Amino acid sequence: MRPPAEPDSPADRQPEPGLRADAERNRERILAAARRLYASHGLGVSMACIAREAGVGKATLSRRFATPDELINAVFADRMDAYAAATAQALADPDPWHGFVGYVQTVCAMQAADRGFADVLAMTFPPAKALEARRTEAYNGFLELIARAKASGHLRADFTDQDMVILLMANAGVIAATADAAPDTWRRLVGQMLRAWAVPGTDLPSLKPAPAPTALYRAMVRLARPAAGSGGDTERATERAGGR
């Protein structure tokens, strides 16, 4: 019979409740900081910048999330769930064209509300398996949505799922460029694309007004600034925004 281990044996030590609570608090602080920075600056924010925003060390961040993909997966899991739910809701619409239009508008609105999610929808993250699984689920639903909208006679026969990817990529760029100067510009883009995809004579939602020329000029000037500087603009801008 083996003698019992000493009370202070490392093998018998369990994490104290206080330590577990601290670890969970750190995790939530990291996630909250990442959400804020991704939403305002996109996915280009560095892990070091997120650690500073959360008020934790780089080692603490690495223990919770070893790679950027792990952090992205945790931050955007709920948003990807909402993305998949938007597909299901569109498929449940008895009017296939109305469901298709609602899906496009909803997904693009989700992009506009969160720059980080705009990047997520326009990119792939193979190591983030949960995120990609939900994306695949939504994609398969969208293929069905396309088939139904075409069968209704309202969606052009030459529309493909790649056209939606192109819109998401374009919308991400428009959102990034006009977020401060003309934040509703993306709605105009979506409206024009729906007109391009619709069969002539199809009922369409009203087209939003074009942004004012002065607002577009401000957006163009803002967009040109990073190209004129050296690398690290995203992190420097983030640090300025955080008062660091």
Side-chain angles (χ1 to χ4, degrees):
M1 182 175 179
R2 190 176 61 182
E6 293 295 326
D8 62 345
S9 169
D12 283 356
R13 288 178 192 156
Q14 296 296 325
E16 297 177 11
L19 293 178
R20 290 197 297 270
D22 285 344
E24 184 58 27
R25 280 195 294 270
N26 283 339
R27 184 178 188 277
E28 291 305 316
R29 288 166 66 185
I30 291 166
L31 288 174
R35 286 190 184 102
R36 288 194 299 272
L37 295 180
Y38 287 154
S40 57
H41 298 286
L43 300 185
V45 179
S46 70
M47 295 286 274
C49 194
I50 291 169
R52 287 196 296 272
E53 177 73 12
V56 302
K58 294 180 184 179
T60 297
L61 175 58
S62 296
R63 282 195 298 273
R64 304 280 79 79
F65 304 100
T67 67
D69 281 340
E70 285 186 14
L71 180 55
I72 289 168
N73 189 54
V75 168
F76 292 104
D78 58 341
R79 287 163 177 79
M80 194 57 78
D81 286 345
Y83 175 50
T87 311
Q89 182 177 353
L91 287 171
D93 194 315
D95 182 335
W97 173 248
H98 184 267
F100 177 86
V101 170
Y103 169 86
V104 172
Q105 292 175 327
T106 297
V107 172
C108 289
M110 291 173 68
Q111 278 192 300
D114 188 330
R115 274 191 61 187
F117 191 62
D119 291 344
V120 167
L121 287 182
M123 299 166 67
T124 59
F125 302 90
K129 298 187 186 303
L131 207 65
E132 290 303 307
R134 293 300 270 162
R135 187 203 301 275
T136 299
E137 177 185 341
Y139 170 74
N140 290 334
F142 182 55
L143 292 180
E144 184 179 351
L145 192 63
I146 292 171
R148 291 184 182 187
K150 287 183 177 180
S152 74
H154 298 300
L155 181 62
R156 286 176 48 148
D158 60 357
F159 176 88
T160 73
D161 57 294
Q162 288 93 338
D163 290 318
M164 186 64 190
V165 176
I166 292 169
L167 172 57
L168 292 175
M169 294 172 68
N171 199 41
V174 168
I175 291 165
T178 65
D180 298 329
D184 285 335
T185 302
W186 68 271
R187 299 182 186 276
R188 177 80 176 188
L189 170 66
V190 172
Q192 293 287 24
M193 292 307 299
L194 287 171
R195 278 159 172 70
W197 296 342
V199 170
T202 297
D203 287 336
L204 287 159
S206 59
L207 187 64
K208 300 301 180 182
T214 52
L216 275 184
Y217 176 77
R218 289 198 303 273
M220 292 168 66
V221 169
R222 180 178 180 274
L223 186 63
R225 281 174 183 160
S230 58
D233 292 296
T234 299
E235 185 165 346
R236 286 198 295 273
T238 305
E239 290 174 349
R240 288 197 297 272
R244 292 177 174 80

